[in-house]
Amino acid sequence: MKCDRLLLLGLLGLGPACSSDKGDTTESETSDATTEPGTTGPTTSGTETGETTTTGPGTTETPTTTSTTTSTTDETTTDGTTGGGFPDELAMGCGFTRPCDDVLLLCGNDSWSPECTEAYTSETQCALEQLAAGAGFPLRYDVNGFNGEEEWYDLVFDGEGGALRQNWLEDPGSLEDAPEGPVERCVLKPVDFFADCLTLADDDPAHAQCMLWSAWFESCEAADEPMCPTL
């Protein structure tokens, strides 16, 4: 037989061995990486922010990036007093040139009198003239401290019928200045009021009112976000 002849030749070293009629059997190569049953692949660690990380079989986890924003506020508002640099800025007239010197209330023995018949001081006259002209300007009004302390108002008139107002108080013990209450935004009386003030006789009851800073305004209320006017 053909196979017996080949076998005989193979034993004598003269020919190949007999092979199966079905052909050679090829073994599959073994992968260097062994995957455990049920595992999608090796676990990856140490990924950079924003990459998708595989943490286990069938589980995909996207890391959450937290961005922290720090808001910085220079000053705070406490006890109804507007804090920060604005009262100090207002005290300097918001950087504006002052056309009039400080007004000092001296109507009747260092206290207000509704029957005051004193003539306007040059400072009061200056302020009334500016207001009658509808001008924008800063002014410091000293109310002379009715209880012995130093007290005054810093005012900035915007030339459009409004004003900012800040009350100040100086502690008699420490002599330190501090804003009293919030910065206020006020509505001025019409310019005709101030023009009339300039024509009144000293003994006219309305003359006394023209000298009093509180009579210059229709209304005032706390300014939540006060800003210096643009003159």
Side-chain angles (χ1 to χ4, degrees):
M1 305 274 201
K2 181 179 180 180
C3 185
D4 292 338
R5 290 179 59 192
L6 292 175
L7 179 59
L8 177 60
L9 292 174
L11 292 175
L12 296 175
L14 300 176
C18 181
S19 60
S20 172
D21 291 337
K22 294 182 181 181
D24 296 335
T25 302
T26 303
E27 293 183 1
S28 61
E29 295 181 359
T30 303
S31 173
D32 293 336
T34 302
T35 303
E36 295 292 335
T39 303
T40 60
T43 300
T44 304
S45 60
T47 57
E48 296 181 0
T49 303
E51 293 184 350
T52 301
T53 305
T54 303
T55 57
T59 302
T60 301
E61 180 178 319
T62 301
T64 301
T65 302
T66 302
S67 176
T68 303
T69 303
T70 303
S71 176
T72 303
T73 303
D74 292 338
E75 300 288 346
T76 57
T77 301
T78 57
D79 301 329
T81 300
T82 301
F86 193 82
D88 293 323
E89 187 178 1
L90 182 59
M92 300 303 293
C94 293
F96 304 140
T97 302
R98 297 173 183 261
C100 306
D101 291 333
D102 298 357
V103 172
L104 178 62
L105 180 61
L106 289 174
C107 193
N109 196 27
D110 295 344
S111 63
W112 173 249
S113 171
E115 293 82 27
C116 181
T117 58
E118 295 177 6
Y120 298 142
T121 64
S122 60
E123 294 82 9
T124 300
Q125 181 80 17
C126 177
L128 291 175
E129 288 174 353
Q130 293 288 326
L131 292 168
F137 68 103
L139 179 71
R140 174 162 291 184
Y141 195 114
D142 190 346
V143 297
N144 214 30
F146 298 142
N147 298 315
E149 73 279 10
E150 293 292 327
E151 185 177 8
W152 65 93
Y153 285 80
D154 281 316
L155 309 167
V156 177
F157 303 101
D158 61 14
E160 298 180 352
L164 292 173
R165 184 174 78 181
Q166 175 68 69
N167 185 203
W168 289 82
L169 203 64
E170 182 183 272
D171 188 329
S174 65
L175 301 180
E176 292 182 355
D177 303 341
E180 187 75 5
V183 175
E184 297 176 292
R185 190 177 305 280
C186 303
V187 177
L188 279 170
K189 288 187 175 178
V191 293
D192 290 346
F193 169 83
F194 302 103
D196 290 344
C197 285
L198 296 171
T199 65
L200 297 174
D202 294 350
D203 59 354
D204 190 319
H207 170 87
Q209 286 294 312
C210 290
M211 300 174 69
L212 188 61
W213 63 270
S214 60
W216 295 354
F217 305 103
E218 296 282 9
S219 63
C220 290
E221 61 182 15
D224 294 334
E225 297 182 0
M227 295 179 63
C228 286
T230 301
L231 300 184

